[in-house]
Amino acid sequence: MGAPRWVLHVDLDGFIAAVERLRRPELVGKPVVVGGTGDPTQRGVVATASYEARAFGVRSGMPLRTAARRCPHAVFLPTDPPAYEAVSVQVMETLRTFPAVVEVVGWDEAFLDVAVADPEDLAQRIQHAVLARTALTCSVGIGDNKLRAKLATGFAKPGGVFRLTEATWWPVMGRRPTHALWGVGDKTARKLAALGIRTVADLAASDVGELARRFGPTMGPWLRRLARGEDRTPVAAGPYVAKSRSRETTFQRNLTDWDAVRAEVAALARRVAQDVVVEGRPAVRVGVKVRWAPFETRTRSVGLPTPSSEAAVIEAAALTALEGFEPGREVRLVGVRAELDRAGP
DNA sequence: TCTGGGGTCCTAGGACCC
DNA sequence: TCTGGGGTCCTAGGACCC
């Protein structure tokens, strides 16, 4: 008889802002907003805000200009991905010292599949180990599957531990809006509300046939399972295998010159080609994204006759895809994406 | 609130084939 | 000549997440 299985979801508190504060102790206690180039007069959005900045209504995803209006005295910093990556590696190494299957979900998040009698005790030991190694605090959600562990973390923040299982699902989640579920965003919540489905309990009790009609054969039934906290997705230890690689740029000023658009697409395609080489699997399809001003996004893509990792091939394909667009309007953003071969080189 | 960048997965229509 | 139904691939778009 082994100990019971649990899923733990570990999530660093305000990760990016916390890493910046670590490097610059003078930021401790101050509102800090990280995002874009660090210049709040430029186009860009908030990647993370410290809890001091959040008190002024600054949120991730918010335009930097808006953040500056809400919290003018905040310290604005550019994002520094290599620095966060380095700290993230230390965090994940620390998690792997525990007897668990570890699935890394992002820079600052991981699932652990564990078999222990006292998951709260393990959660606290993880918090202490991460703090000792990186001086960062994290929150831990405990669940009987990934979905419940992930949602539990929201109740654990900041710095706490929370358990959510089948036994407590209804008292904790039943009366919350569907938007509280992991995978239900603004659009779906609104669509559900139009059907009279407002809470998690409403969704759990709704007609699965109706959901399938409105949301499709896969999404419909999945939504109802979500509302019941049902999830059998395993914690996957395997190394992350990318399905696509992409690069995109939003211009500080919209481009009006199509030659400049072509040049930018070519440059992005060469960067994507470098990423493809690093992945070690060739591209099978290349796509281009154009965002017209003010904010209308369109994509075009072409399959490659033969899978390739060559910069010249990927660049040529991107420029071919770009020909599917009618020039003449102002361009806010361009992007290039490569879909990778699933099988291998 | 004038809206980044990097991903994943699902849906749906049309082409094409049997 | 007119007609069916299903399966699969290709492509674009949408929704969501960190």
Side-chain angles (χ1 to χ4, degrees):
Chain A
M1 283 294 287
R5 296 270 298 276
W6 301 95
V7 178
L8 270 54
H9 179 251
V10 177
D11 193 323
L12 280 291
D13 299 321
F15 178 64
I16 292 176
V19 171
E20 294 293 349
R21 215 163 29 224
L22 228 48
R23 306 200 277 190
R24 313 179 196 213
E26 72 272 17
L27 298 178
V28 171
K30 291 188 185 161
V32 176
V33 177
V34 186
T37 61
D39 178 352
T41 67
Q42 296 222 315
R43 283 180 174 169
V45 298
V46 176
T48 329
S50 69
Y51 285 92
E52 292 83 358
R54 292 182 201 190
F56 289 87
V58 178
R59 297 283 178 270
S60 359
M62 173 182 282
L64 289 175
R65 282 181 233 262
T66 309
R69 218 175 301 130
R70 296 204 177 180
C71 192
H73 59 293
V75 178
F76 286 86
L77 298 174
T79 45
D80 180 2
Y84 316 138
E85 176 64 31
V87 179
S88 175
V89 167
Q90 293 180 26
V91 171
M92 300 311 163
E93 279 175 7
T94 305
L95 297 183
R96 281 192 249 270
T97 64
F98 289 87
V101 175
V102 179
E103 178 181 352
V104 177
V105 188
W107 273 341
D108 63 341
E109 267 184 65
F111 286 104
L112 280 72
D113 184 329
V114 300
V116 288
D118 185 347
E120 276 79 6
D121 172 68
L122 176 60
Q124 287 177 9
R125 287 193 286 123
I126 288 171
Q127 289 176 322
H128 291 144
V130 170
L131 184 66
R133 174 80 191 271
T134 64
L136 296 174
T137 67
C138 61
S139 306
V140 181
I142 299 168
D144 45 7
N145 59 33
K146 285 168 82 173
L147 169 62
R148 293 198 180 110
K150 167 77 184 177
L151 291 173
T153 307
F155 303 114
K157 281 195 166 290
V161 176
F162 192 90
R163 187 199 287 210
L164 178 61
T165 63
E166 187 178 10
T168 51
W169 178 257
W170 299 114
V172 174
M173 294 299 298
R175 304 169 78 94
R176 294 182 187 271
T178 58
H179 196 270
L181 293 166
W182 187 37
V184 177
D186 283 338
K187 299 291 171 110
T188 304
R190 228 178 292 252
K191 252 174 104 175
L192 288 168
L195 300 173
I197 299 166
R198 293 194 169 72
T199 66
V200 172
D202 289 343
L203 182 55
S206 59
D207 181 67
V208 73
E210 173 77 359
L211 291 175
R213 262 194 306 284
R214 302 276 182 162
F215 295 93
T218 302
M219 294 289 291
W222 172 75
L223 281 169
R224 204 171 77 136
R225 289 199 301 276
L226 198 61
R228 295 168 179 227
E230 294 170 10
D231 174 27
R232 291 170 177 273
T233 319
V235 176
Y240 174 72
V241 179
K243 298 186 173 63
S244 67
R245 297 302 313 254
S246 68
R247 297 278 180 172
E248 63 184 55
T249 308
T250 294
F251 305 110
Q252 285 303 324
R253 297 198 165 180
N254 298 337
L255 291 189
T256 51
D257 175 7
W258 196 250
D259 285 338
V261 173
R262 288 176 54 86
E264 186 63 28
V265 165
L268 289 170
R270 289 192 292 269
R271 290 181 66 186
V272 167
Q274 291 175 4
D275 298 338
V276 168
V277 168
V278 170
E279 284 300 324
R281 279 142 51 237
V284 294
R285 180 166 204 87
V286 175
V288 169
K289 171 154 86 174
V290 171
R291 180 119 74 209
W292 306 106
F295 204 78
E296 183 193 327
T297 308
R298 292 287 179 266
T299 61
R300 290 288 180 275
S301 65
V302 295
L304 297 182
T306 321
S308 173
S309 302
E310 282 180 47
V313 172
I314 291 172
E315 179 183 337
L319 290 172
T320 300
L322 184 64
E323 284 170 20
F325 293 93
E326 190 66 40
R329 301 163 60 189
E330 290 194 17
V331 174
R332 180 187 174 93
L333 165 151
V334 293
V336 174
R337 190 173 79 96
E339 263 177 53
L340 302 176
D341 200 333
R342 308 207 163 211

